[in-house]
Amino acid sequence: MTTAIRLILPVCALLITAMGFAQSVARQWNEEVLHAIRNDYARPTVHARNLFHTSLAMYEGWSIYDKDSRPFFLGNKLGSYECIFDGFTTDEEIATARHKTISYAVYRLMKHRFANSPGKDEIYASIDSLMESFGYDTTYNNAYYKNGNPAAMGNYIAEQLIAFGLQDGSNEANDYQNRYYEPLNAPLNTDISGNPTMEFPNHWQPLRVENWVDQSGNTIPGGQPPFLGPEWGQVTPFALSEEQLTIFPSPDFDYYVYMDPGAPPFIQNGLGLEDPYKWGFAMVSVWGSHLGPEDTTTIDISPAALGNLPFDEYPQLFSDYKDFYDFFEGGDPSRGRPVNPVTGEPYQPQIVKRGDYTRVLAEFWADGPDSETPPGHWFTILNYVNDHPLLEKRFEGRGEVLSDLEWDIRSYFILGGAMHDVAVTAWGIKGYYDYVRPISAIRYMTDRGQSSDPALPSYHPHGIPLIPDYIELVNPGDPLAGAFDENVGKIKLYTWRGPDYIADPNNDIAGVGWILAEEWFPYQRPSFVTPPFAGYVSGHSTFSRAAAEILTRLTGDEYFPGGMGVFDIQQHEFLKFEKGPSESFQLQWATYRDASDQTSLSRIWGGIHPPCDDIPGRFIGFELGHNAFEFAKRVFNAESVANGILFPNPASDLLTLAYETNDNLQLNVYDMVGNRILSVPADFDENHYCRLNISALSQGMYFAVLQNEGNPILVRRFLKK
């Protein structure tokens, strides 16, 4: 029988605690952050940043006590913010001190970040309870860390991250509101048919939804949420570099776009399905015909049939897209795997109705209605991978087994940094290209008519292509023609029929059938419809691919522990806005990349993205994941303290040398022509840190030389900025 990891989402941590398994303090605080996100507004950009900053707080609280590590933020410059730090010593035992520092750092940061959350009371009660369970005084807010109190050190880390966050480009002080962006299109009122107000079919359109409810279940006043994060490209990133940045000036605002993929396909006159814009959005409607239990097609959804899609087989050109996506049947050309490499046993087929599988995918990967948002969803996957008994916590699958705490600290830091960089990158692209969503594009095209044949009725160059059995004209005598033939000549779609067919979500199923195209809805709750930001590029595709690469690199294995990850789907219980699925089954993935690819397809079936949003997101996510991982490795310093580490480099005022020694040594600084500029005793603390004030040095390159009785034992070059 195949060994697998079961991703039982928010309750997993409670079950582990009840069963007596100890969790690291980092894991406990990460669970609190995820709990807080589920009780906040569903803002992927904001929460990718929260996950990164809380992970960074934990890394700082861990690294200052570890002789082989160095801080990333403390004593360094992040963006334009310089965090002053003079080193920390304490009389407390290291494990106790570290636990306290991490706890106060994350606690104080969370109190600040979630102060205006709709679930503030529940969030605060939970983190207060955790602090009290540790025996910590929640009223202690002293941040003078030079007193040697680890709690003060934690408060200082939080204080500095809060100050950093108020100037990092996120506009946190004004609740992350947009400063300059204005949509080109008037809102689409989803309570009426069609899309009569759209003037710019290549651009994003706000939605007006009565009693609009976000992905976390929070009602948004006014029913017309603004574009979330169109200016997020200017937020200080983690590992992104200026070489990856393109700046697009506008009269009021410069759009920062990292890893620019170029423009998406814009609508063309005529061409029918040869127009990439029309082809992609038409495919979204066609895949909607798979979203009902009356679909008699069955498919094998096990790793024996799905997954195993090599990266070099992703499409590059529009002609490749046509071969990659199965336009009529759905899915991609993945071929599956016959054997589980961990157990040596064949993957067992799992035959299910396509109409159940597609609906479950659309809802599972939407992360709702109790959403920790896509970046948080991948943190839950990381946590449940970490809980698997077959996982060996060896960094990159090599070397010694790390403690639970060190493993959690490192993995959260890397994944948090990567998810933050995805938000900066994807939303920078979304803001600049401002691309349309299917709900707007499909209704816009079908309002105008068809673009396949000028000789047929209702021809318009911007019309939708006609596809027999899926996209057709309403003719006289059609059941949709209307009592007075008022709908004759309009477009009809064979697709998911939409929320008007669901009165009781516990008992009703909308099903698939012919509807007037002007009534088309994505497979989402009627109070949500579509996320409030542009489509291109897909955040889900980008987040998921980056996370899959991180998990693969981190564990040194592309496979889930045991060779398969699963999530149990219960008959008639899993779907939230209609009854279903009609039978129980499991979502199954052999590898992290298989799960990521499934995420991407789910957004097309869900009516949220066309293919042109998906593939660039996968490419960018792949690069971002590896970029963040390599950057984090440099932060961790592959070379040990035994070999000597000099940081930060470049430095402005304070230089730190980490070296494993208790000898009385001399630290000298020489310029590039060999003149000795400084000479001081090398006073190493218990963490093997020696600090040198270099504020008096002019800018330039120098050598730091550690000497023992006049003999050089360590030479490191550094740049004074």
Side-chain angles (χ1 to χ4, degrees):
M1 183 172 181
T2 300
T3 302
I5 172 174
R6 295 182 179 270
L7 305 180
I8 311 299
L9 291 176
V11 300
C12 183
L14 298 176
L15 292 174
I16 292 168
T17 301
M19 294 167 65
F21 298 117
Q23 293 181 332
S24 76
V25 64
R27 170 65 179 274
Q28 292 177 78
W29 280 110
N30 181 253
E31 294 287 357
E32 290 296 334
V33 175
L34 293 170
H35 172 257
I37 291 172
R38 295 182 193 112
N39 285 277
D40 194 19
Y41 296 111
R43 300 179 286 190
T45 51
V46 172
H47 294 312
R49 177 175 173 270
N50 283 332
L51 285 160
F52 171 47
H53 287 182
T54 52
S55 298
L56 174 55
M58 291 191 282
Y59 176 77
E60 300 298 285
W62 175 80
S63 65
I64 60 173
Y65 298 102
D66 187 82
K67 63 183 178 61
D68 293 332
S69 301
R70 61 184 177 93
F72 173 70
F73 180 57
L74 294 169
N76 296 312
K77 195 172 185 180
L78 187 54
S80 60
Y81 187 85
E82 189 161 4
C83 178
I84 305 301
F85 180 58
D86 298 325
F88 179 69
T89 58
T90 181
D91 293 332
E92 293 194 23
E93 190 268 332
I94 294 299
T96 302
R98 177 182 277 143
H99 189 286
K100 188 178 295 183
T101 296
I102 289 172
S103 295
Y104 274 90
V106 182
Y107 176 77
R108 291 292 171 209
L109 185 56
M110 288 186 67
K111 290 278 280 191
H112 171 78
R113 290 286 170 82
F114 296 97
N116 298 317
S117 297
K120 170 186 173 180
D121 291 345
E122 182 173 340
I123 296 167
Y124 277 19
S126 185
I127 61 176
D128 284 346
S129 176
L130 183 60
M131 288 288 280
E132 289 164 5
S133 73
F134 295 150
Y136 296 153
D137 180 3
T138 58
T139 66
Y140 182 80
N141 56 16
N142 189 340
Y144 184 72
Y145 64 88
K146 294 181 181 180
N147 64 9
N149 188 333
M153 185 69 249
N155 287 336
Y156 181 74
I157 293 171
E159 178 184 274
Q160 289 298 301
L161 280 169
I162 290 168
F164 164 71
L166 293 173
Q167 57 80 67
D168 71 344
S170 65
N171 201 22
E172 180 190 335
N174 294 309
D175 198 28
Y176 312 100
Q177 293 181 20
N178 301 332
R179 291 166 290 177
Y180 303 103
Y181 172 87
E182 293 291 341
L184 293 174
N185 287 301
L188 166 60
N189 186 343
T190 60
D191 290 332
I192 63 174
S193 299
N195 192 358
T197 62
M198 192 171 202
E199 296 183 59
F200 303 95
N202 297 316
H203 292 279
W204 182 73
Q205 181 179 36
L207 301 181
R208 182 176 292 122
V209 181
E210 188 70 24
N211 298 317
W212 199 86
V213 178
D214 75 5
Q215 204 71 11
S216 291
N218 301 299
T219 300
I220 307 300
Q224 187 179 312
F227 191 133
L228 172 69
E231 299 154 3
W232 208 257
Q234 283 204 6
V235 175
T236 303
F238 169 59
L240 296 169
S241 66
E242 290 186 4
E243 290 74 20
Q244 298 165 304
L245 173 65
T246 304
I247 300 176
F248 294 99
S250 70
D252 298 315
F253 183 77
D254 290 344
Y255 283 91
Y256 280 39
V257 177
Y258 292 90
M259 301 184 183
D260 179 22
F266 296 144
I267 195 168
Q268 301 178 50
N269 288 327
L271 298 181
L273 282 175
E274 294 308 308
D275 178 351
Y277 179 105
K278 298 187 182 81
W279 179 89
F281 288 110
M283 195 183 87
V284 172
S285 175
V286 171
W287 281 26
S289 68
H290 308 154
L291 298 169
E294 62 277 283
D295 181 0
T296 59
T297 302
T298 59
I299 55 176
D300 182 359
I301 65 168
S302 74
L306 298 181
N308 192 19
L309 184 60
F311 187 71
D312 59 8
E313 293 186 13
Y314 287 162
Q316 300 276 353
L317 305 174
F318 174 56
S319 57
D320 301 328
Y321 276 59
K322 290 185 173 182
D323 294 330
F324 183 83
Y325 296 98
D326 191 325
F327 191 93
F328 292 105
E329 300 302 322
D332 58 30
S334 63
R335 73 266 302 171
R337 300 169 173 83
V339 176
N340 182 327
V342 178
T343 65
E345 300 174 0
Y347 285 111
Q348 297 301 308
Q350 185 186 191
I351 309 300
V352 303
K353 292 180 180 179
R354 180 175 60 182
D356 280 338
Y357 174 68
T358 55
R359 290 186 297 154
V360 165
L361 281 198
E363 187 154 324
F364 178 83
W365 288 112
D367 309 316
D370 298 315
S371 175
E372 60 273 311
T373 72
H377 197 157
W378 280 93
F379 266 83
T380 67
I381 291 175
L382 169 63
N383 283 338
Y384 310 131
V385 168
N386 291 345
D387 290 336
H388 198 285
L390 294 181
L391 176 68
E392 290 189 340
K393 297 180 178 179
R394 303 178 192 273
F395 190 70
E396 294 188 282
R398 302 190 299 268
E400 64 182 12
V401 175
L402 302 180
S403 68
D404 288 347
L405 177 59
E406 183 170 356
W407 176 267
D408 289 343
I409 289 289
R410 288 187 177 217
S411 61
Y412 294 157
F413 179 74
I414 301 173
L415 184 59
M419 296 297 92
H420 178 61
D421 277 356
V422 167
V424 172
T425 303
W427 267 256
I429 295 167
K430 287 175 184 286
Y432 178 67
Y433 288 109
D434 193 40
Y435 198 54
V436 62
R437 290 280 192 171
I439 179 69
S440 297
I442 290 173
R443 289 193 178 195
Y444 170 84
M445 289 189 294
T446 55
D447 271 6
R448 277 137 193 84
Q450 56 88 14
S451 60
S452 292
D453 189 346
L456 291 176
S458 305
Y459 177 80
H460 190 283
H462 281 192
I464 198 167
L466 296 177
I467 303 173
D469 300 324
Y470 294 97
I471 304 175
E472 298 181 354
L473 287 167
V474 176
N475 294 313
D478 191 299
L480 294 174
F484 304 98
D485 282 347
E486 65 271 16
N487 295 325
V488 170
K490 289 184 177 182
I491 304 296
K492 66 177 183 177
L493 307 175
Y494 186 75
T495 192
W496 186 64
R497 297 194 301 171
D500 287 347
Y501 291 84
I502 303 170
D504 179 3
N506 294 318
N507 294 298
D508 295 341
I509 300 171
V512 169
W514 286 104
I515 62 169
L516 292 174
E518 63 193 25
E519 303 290 348
W520 185 85
F521 268 87
Y523 188 76
Q524 303 289 317
R525 287 176 289 128
S527 57
F528 176 69
V529 184
T530 292
F533 40 82
Y536 182 79
V537 295
S538 166
H540 273 70
S541 291
T542 317
F543 278 125
S544 296
R545 191 64 198 215
E549 297 306 315
I550 294 295
L551 285 166
T552 300
R553 294 285 303 273
L554 178 69
T555 62
D557 190 350
E558 64 178 316
Y559 287 85
F560 278 87
M564 187 166 76
V566 306
F567 183 85
D568 292 324
I569 304 296
Q570 296 300 318
Q571 179 185 29
H572 298 318
E573 292 184 9
F574 182 77
L575 298 181
K576 301 303 180 186
F577 54 89
E578 68 173 354
K579 185 179 180 180
S582 64
E583 58 186 346
S584 297
F585 59 91
Q586 292 179 335
L587 296 180
Q588 300 177 340
W589 318 279
T591 70
Y592 307 114
R593 291 164 181 151
D594 292 347
S596 171
D597 287 340
Q598 186 189 80
T599 305
S600 298
L601 296 178
S602 79
R603 303 304 275 172
I604 301 175
W605 267 307
I608 298 301
H609 287 290
C612 70
D613 294 352
D614 170 24
I615 296 299
R618 297 198 208 189
F619 280 123
I620 293 169
F622 177 88
E623 187 174 350
L624 284 172
H626 289 281
N627 189 63
F629 197 90
E630 289 299 323
F631 184 82
K633 281 178 63 177
R634 293 197 295 272
V635 173
F636 296 155
N637 280 295
E639 52 180 334
S640 69
V641 172
N643 296 322
I645 304 168
L646 191 69
F647 64 91
N649 191 4
S652 55
D653 297 320
L654 193 68
L655 194 65
T656 300
L657 177 64
Y659 187 61
E660 197 168 78
T661 181
N662 293 316
D663 297 335
N664 295 320
L665 305 176
Q666 194 78 8
L667 181 59
N668 299 322
V669 174
Y670 294 85
D671 63 18
M672 294 299 289
V673 296
N675 297 315
R676 189 170 66 181
I677 308 300
L678 290 174
S679 181
V680 296
D683 185 14
F684 288 90
D685 63 24
E686 62 181 16
N687 295 317
H688 305 284
Y689 286 176
C690 173
R691 294 172 177 83
L692 179 65
N693 189 326
I694 58 170
S695 59
L697 298 184
S698 58
Q699 293 183 355
M701 193 69 70
Y702 297 89
F703 290 98
V705 181
L706 191 63
Q707 294 179 319
N708 184 5
E709 297 181 351
N711 298 313
I713 60 173
L714 181 70
V715 178
R716 292 287 180 267
R717 187 169 63 173
F718 70 93
L719 177 67
K720 169 64 168 63
K721 59 183 179 179

